[in-house]
Amino acid sequence: MTHINIEEFETSDFDSLLEMSQKLWTKYEKAELKNLLNESFAVKRNLVLLAKTVEGKSVGFSIFSIRTDYVEGADQSPTGYLEGIFVQPDYRNVGISKQFIHLGEEWCKEKGCTQLGSDTWLSDKEAQAFHKRIGFWKEDKLVHFLKNID
């Protein structure tokens, strides 16, 4: 396995980040995802990290934020939040996600946080297993409802 560097996001990395984001958040249209990513860069309370090979190929990303609104089960506010994490399949199980989490936790601590939250879909068993492997516990099950009020 080639050596992997973890770097903070640069605008020149946007296309590769967008491509990987589409693999993680498959329910979003490309234009919508592009807008959401651009919004996350405009906020100073976010940390976007990329995993890159020594040749400069992006092979993973993570996005951390500082949330001041309620985070399910959190003891205090602000709370660090793992907004997204993705590693290309050929680069999984070599510790990239652990590096992302370690760096994200350190960043969150610097911002005054003592906990890190995250979420995934109830149906995404793979993501739930990943979260448990890296030290998260399941806080609650949540079902969202919506009703039109024409």
Side-chain angles (χ1 to χ4, degrees), residues 31-49:
E32 183 180 12
L33 192 52
K34 186 176 183 177
N35 288 337
L36 288 170
L37 289 171
N38 278 322
E39 287 174 14
S40 74
F41 306 136
V43 177
K44 300 292 186 223
R45 294 184 306 189
N46 287 349
L47 173 68
V48 181
L49 299 171

Side-chain angles (χ1 to χ4, degrees), residues 23-69:
K23 294 177 182 178
L24 178 62
W25 294 302
T26 58
K27 296 180 186 212
Y28 288 94
E29 295 293 325
K30 185 176 182 177
E32 183 180 12
L33 192 52
K34 186 176 183 177
N35 288 337
L36 288 170
L37 289 171
N38 278 322
E39 287 174 14
S40 74
F41 306 136
V43 177
K44 300 292 186 223
R45 294 184 306 189
N46 287 349
L47 173 68
V48 181
L49 299 171
L50 290 176
K52 292 184 176 184
T53 65
V54 290
E55 298 82 21
K57 176 183 175 187
S58 295
V59 297
F61 75 91
S62 61
I63 302 174
F64 295 88
S65 70
I66 304 298
R67 291 193 178 185
T68 54
D69 55 334

